[in-house]
Amino acid sequence: MERLETSNKSVFDFFFKTNKSKHHQICFQCHHKKVKGLANLSHPTDEEIKRIAETYGVKEEEIFKMRDRNGIFVYKVNGEAVSYAGIHVDGSLGLLYTKPECRRKNYASLLEEELFKILEESVFSQILTDNKASVSMHKRNGWKFNRYKIYWLFNEDFE
């Protein structure tokens, strides 16, 4: 198995017990309505891509691919990238990250507001259930949470 995504906990438990996957995640799924307007975002520079790759422990090539498909954006304050987010291949918003020294200044919320302007009609995301700060921020910002959780299993080499 390379990847399993399900909202059925029994299916997840069955496959998880087989130990054929190396990683698992349990996420809340939520959505937000589109906002109209011009977005105040940019794509990351090559130097910013290096920092993003380091943050997530992935190869720079993966972030370059995201930039090439118009799937990663940075929010800048006074010319400095303070927060960034990506669009996964399934269309979901993810990879939301704000530099530690820039947190609690509303930059992640502002970044999302800007992304709402350029994404499809309805924006959705999957947030790890144990990421309490992200869950709290999304609830404050009007995201609607589904009642079902999403369960992920995937191998180390899954792309």
Side-chain angles (χ1 to χ4, degrees):
M1 171 192 349
E2 286 189 22
R3 181 188 99 156
L4 168 72
E5 175 188 354
T6 180
S7 59
N8 186 312
K9 186 173 184 331
S10 298
V11 170
F12 172 81
D13 289 343
F14 172 79
F15 283 103
F16 183 68
K17 288 176 185 173
T18 65
N19 291 325
K20 293 193 181 216
S21 64
K22 295 183 180 179
H23 300 284
H24 69 280
Q25 296 176 339
I26 304 171
C27 301
F28 293 119
Q29 187 159 355
C30 54
H31 66 280
H32 200 287
K33 290 187 178 172
K34 182 175 174 60
V35 177
K36 294 187 179 190
L38 296 174
N40 181 26
L41 297 172
S42 60
H43 293 290
T45 64
D46 291 356
E47 189 60 37
E48 290 163 345
I49 283 179
K50 290 178 185 178
R51 285 194 296 273
I52 293 169
E54 288 172 8
T55 299
Y56 281 100
V58 299
K59 297 177 184 171
E60 289 178 28
E61 296 83 42
E62 296 303 314
I63 307 300
F64 278 108
K65 284 181 194 176
M66 289 182 76
R67 184 176 72 181
D68 291 346
R69 68 172 174 74
N70 201 28
I72 191 151
F73 300 90
V74 295
Y75 185 82
K76 294 184 178 183
V77 174
N78 297 325
E80 177 190 356
V82 296
S83 192
Y84 56 82
I87 310 303
H88 295 291
V89 292
D90 66 358
S92 65
L93 171 64
L95 304 172
L96 182 60
Y97 182 82
T98 301
K99 291 180 177 179
E101 65 273 17
C102 299
R103 293 180 183 161
R104 299 203 160 286
K105 296 180 180 177
N106 209 33
Y107 295 140
S109 296
L110 293 169
L111 169 63
E112 282 191 346
E113 285 179 25
E114 294 302 305
L115 279 170
F116 295 158
K117 297 174 183 176
I118 60 173
L119 297 177
E120 295 300 319
E121 201 57 36
S122 181
V123 180
F124 74 102
S125 186
Q126 295 176 0
I127 303 166
L128 293 172
T129 56
D130 61 354
N131 190 341
K132 305 223 182 297
S134 184
V135 169
S136 177
M137 183 203 72
H138 284 85
K139 285 182 177 179
R140 275 193 319 273
N141 291 340
W143 287 73
K144 305 296 181 213
F145 283 71
N146 298 351
R147 65 182 225 190
Y148 299 107
K149 292 181 178 130
I150 302 298
Y151 300 90
W152 286 86
L153 292 173
F154 53 96
N155 291 340
E156 186 83 25
D157 56 354
F158 173 72
E159 293 184 22

